[in-house]
Amino acid sequence: MGNGTHIISGRAKTAGVMGWPIGHSKSPALHNFWLRQHHIDGAYVPMAVKPEHLTQALRALSAQGFAGVNLTVPHKEAATTIVDEISDVAKKIGAINTIFVLPDGRLRGTNTDAFGFIENLKQGFTGFNAAAGPAVVLGAGGAARAVCVALIDAGCREVRVINRTLARGEALAKSLGAKIKTLPWQNLATAMKDAALLVNATSLGMTGQPPLDIDLSSLPKTAVVTDLVYAPLDTALLVAGRERGNPTVDGLGMLLYQAQAGFEGWFGVKPSVTPELRQHLLSLG
Ligand code: NAP
């Protein structure tokens, strides 16, 4: 725990994270680290909310005096139809991961995953430039949508989405525009040939999931390799990229940077992403 005293008085500001299940979430440890670090009278709690109770749970936030919440699997998409206001970036992504309770009790939803993804790349690889060349994104789920929006907004001219279920990739391309191309998994080697960035936005490689088993030999050695999976931190993809000389960026930073805006809005202080914070979260396993 050791980074200061945690004050939780009767006047504490409150926020949390809703998910189902929620036991795996690192967000409580992350936000409570920052609360202790800044000696803030506040609390951030895990909230186990079943999908059928999401509307009720969100509507109760204002009545219970909550400043807001984060949302995780499986609520990010469903919440877009429940909140009263939605930011442009969340609209584009089609998912909400952060909610602010406004002074009049209305709920404003936004999505900070796209910011978290790009900021992590900028901090993890000096000189990162989204316009450097085509990006190859594996996956077409909610996280892949945030990655695609982030890359296009940062100036990437072509994102090649490769997904097991081709139709899901095609739907993503249709909603996000002509800079997104969808390709079948068999075309991965060709897609990587002139790529400047390779992103794993599938759940493959995560503890308890099947491994991500791909051949990197066609990928230029200058391409940045990044994985959204952060458990384990050093995924097989990152190890393989590093061994052949590609620069690599792990996925933990995305989680940390996406959390900053919510914390600042709820608790009034912009928190920093530091090596101590990373170490704290990694020490929890
Ligand atoms: P999701 O919506 O459930 O999407 C899962 C993706 O993985 C889909 O593209 C799916 O393909 C693919 N997939 C799953 N099993 C597969 C298999 N056996 N073979 C091939 N493809 C498979 O999940 P998500 O919310 O996008 O999250 C994806 C990953 O990103 C998760 O590991 C999550 O923890 C991570 N993530 C990390 C951060 C961070 O801050 N670092 C933030 C968000 C998410 P189909 O469409 O064919 O099913």
Side-chain angles (χ1 to χ4, degrees), residues 80-99:
T80 59
T81 61
I82 301 170
V83 296
D84 304 294
E85 277 181 24
I86 177 164
S87 69
D88 289 344
V89 68
K91 237 180 255 171
K92 260 200 263 181
I93 296 170
I96 289 173
N97 75 339
T98 306
I99 291 179

Side-chain angles (χ1 to χ4, degrees), residues 139-143 163-165 168 201-204 206 228 230 251 254-255:
N163 194 47
R164 174 180 61 176
T165 311
R168 203 173 178 194
T202 72
S203 43
L204 294 176
M206 202 164 111
L228 265 53
Y230 56 79
M254 177 173 170
L255 177 80

Side-chain angles (χ1 to χ4, degrees), residues 76-77 93 95 111 113 140-147 168:
K76 289 183 180 186
E77 284 161 32
I93 296 170
N111 192 310
D113 278 338
R145 290 185 65 91
V147 166
R168 203 173 178 194

Side-chain angles (χ1 to χ4, degrees), residues 50 128 242:
K50 289 182 179 165
F128 173 75
R242 200 167 55 231

Side-chain angles (χ1 to χ4, degrees), residues 72-73 76-77 113 116-117 120 138-146 162-166 168-169 185 200-206 209-212 227-230 250-256 258:
T72 186
V73 177
K76 289 183 180 186
E77 284 161 32
D113 278 338
F117 172 74
N120 185 39
L138 305 176
R145 290 185 65 91
I162 296 198
N163 194 47
R164 174 180 61 176
T165 311
L166 191 62
R168 203 173 178 194
W185 202 274
N200 176 34
T202 72
S203 43
L204 294 176
M206 202 164 111
Q209 297 292 319
L212 173 65
D227 204 327
L228 265 53
V229 170
Y230 56 79
D250 70 56
L252 184 59
M254 177 173 170
L255 177 80
L256 308 184
Q258 67 74 30

Side-chain angles (χ1 to χ4, degrees), residues 6 10 13 39 72 104 110 130 152 156 171-173 177 181 185 190 192 211 242 247-248 253 256 273:
H6 195 170
K13 290 180 184 160
H39 309 289
T72 186
D104 62 4
T110 189
I152 300 293
C156 185
L172 189 158
K181 313 272 185 245
W185 202 274
T190 321
M192 286 195 300
R242 200 167 55 231
T248 59
L256 308 184
V273 171

